[in-house]
Amino acid sequence: MSNKSTRITALSSLFITVLLIAGCAPPTAKIKVSRQEVKAGDPVTVSWETKNAKTIEVNGEKVEKIGGKTMTPAKTTTYEVVAKRGKKEARDRAEVTVTVVRPPMPTVSLKADPSNIDLGKNTTLRWESANATTLTITGLGEVPASGSREVSPRVSTTYTANAIGAGGNATASTRVTVTDPPPPPVAERPRVTQPTEPPIAEQFRAILKSVFFDYDKSDISASDQEQLRRAADWLNLERNRSITFRVEGNCDPRGTAEY
């Protein structure tokens, strides 16, 4: 019986020694990440494992001895596990580098067809944009990302498209030149052709013809007197007062030579 008691006592002492050794062992901690480089918004799994610790924290949050958690870091982050037992502690770190991807810049184009119009006529504005959440055009307000619209400006106008998106903003402009229509053509008056007057000498001869006396008399007949009055009236016209002429009396060729 003494030998058996001795063996039991020895085993008990060994067990107590093992417990004492275990209780005195320092804590250990390990942490790792599923990916060390990610883009902003991408998830990453953080996992850890500890031993011989009473309290465990990951970035200040109490956790179990062994575990894992999915994180979505917005920027480069260091994850740290701290395992403590009394005054003893163990630490381990794992870093995730986060690449911030800038959203693409918006693009926009705007044109007028035609760009020159007469007052009262229409032109068509056409536009296209990409990577924009809001698109506005002066005079039209907010419009779809792409489209067209007929406009009829009364004066020359510059239209500007403003595209706004997560990556910034972009603008594009086009100018419509408005001109007054030409006046209607003036109807040409018919040209009146003035009759061409014959030379003054011919007119004179036509107005003042020879005046004859009656046979064996010095009287002027009544018909010839009327002719002379017409000639006097014609010569007294303003345009004819510069005419120079000579009055002559001659024998006429009528009758025989002896007469």
Side-chain angles (χ1 to χ4, degrees):
M1 290 295 294
S2 67
N3 290 337
K4 185 176 181 180
S5 298
T6 302
R7 286 197 299 271
I8 292 173
T9 302
L11 289 173
S12 298
S13 298
L14 180 61
F15 179 73
I16 293 171
T17 301
V18 171
L19 290 177
L20 290 173
I21 293 173
C24 295
T28 60
K30 290 183 180 180
I31 191 169
K32 62 181 181 178
V33 292
S34 58
R35 291 187 292 172
Q36 293 181 331
E37 293 184 2
V38 296
K39 294 180 181 179
D42 289 348
V44 62
T45 300
V46 180
S47 57
W48 60 89
E49 181 178 349
T50 65
K51 292 181 180 180
N52 306 323
K54 286 189 175 182
T55 60
I56 302 96
E57 293 182 356
V58 173
N59 286 15
E61 180 184 355
K62 290 185 177 182
V63 294
E64 297 294 330
K65 293 181 179 182
I66 299 174
K69 191 174 183 179
T70 299
M71 309 285 192
T72 306
K75 59 183 180 179
T76 298
T77 304
T78 299
Y79 294 97
E80 183 180 45
V81 61
V82 180
K84 293 182 179 180
R85 182 181 180 89
K87 294 182 178 182
K88 298 178 181 180
E89 68 175 35
R91 296 172 180 267
D92 192 25
R93 294 181 179 90
E95 184 178 77
V96 177
T97 301
V98 178
T99 303
V100 178
V101 179
R102 183 178 176 84
M105 283 285 293
T107 60
V108 63
S109 63
L110 176 66
K111 64 179 181 179
D113 184 23
S115 58
N116 293 277
I117 61 172
D118 291 334
L119 181 63
K121 299 295 184 179
N122 294 344
T123 183
T124 301
L125 295 178
R126 292 185 172 88
W127 65 88
E128 289 185 0
S129 66
N131 306 320
T133 55
T134 304
L135 178 63
T136 58
I137 299 178
T138 52
L140 304 183
E142 188 170 344
V143 295
S146 61
S148 62
R149 188 83 58 86
E150 280 195 353
V151 294
S152 182
R154 298 182 61 84
V155 295
S156 297
T157 304
T158 298
Y159 293 90
T160 301
N162 188 20
I164 301 174
N169 66 326
T171 60
S173 298
T174 186
R175 183 166 179 80
V176 178
T177 302
V178 180
T179 56
D180 292 330
V186 178
E188 186 177 355
R189 295 181 178 178
R191 302 181 66 180
V192 178
T193 304
Q194 297 293 338
T196 303
E197 292 186 351
I200 196 70
E202 292 183 12
Q203 296 181 51
F204 187 81
R205 284 194 293 270
I207 291 293
L208 191 61
K209 297 181 180 179
S210 297
V211 175
F212 295 97
F213 296 104
D214 287 338
Y215 287 111
D216 300 323
K217 293 182 179 179
S218 60
D219 298 329
I220 299 175
S221 66
S223 61
D224 287 338
Q225 290 181 16
E226 179 62 28
Q227 177 182 322
L228 289 174
R229 279 194 293 272
R230 290 197 301 271
D233 292 340
W234 184 81
L235 289 171
N236 279 320
L237 294 175
E238 185 67 28
R239 61 188 174 89
N240 296 332
R241 289 186 179 184
S242 61
I243 296 176
T244 301
F245 61 94
R246 184 174 61 185
V247 179
E248 292 182 349
N250 297 286
C251 295
D252 61 49
R254 294 176 300 176
T256 64
E258 293 80 6
Y259 179 77

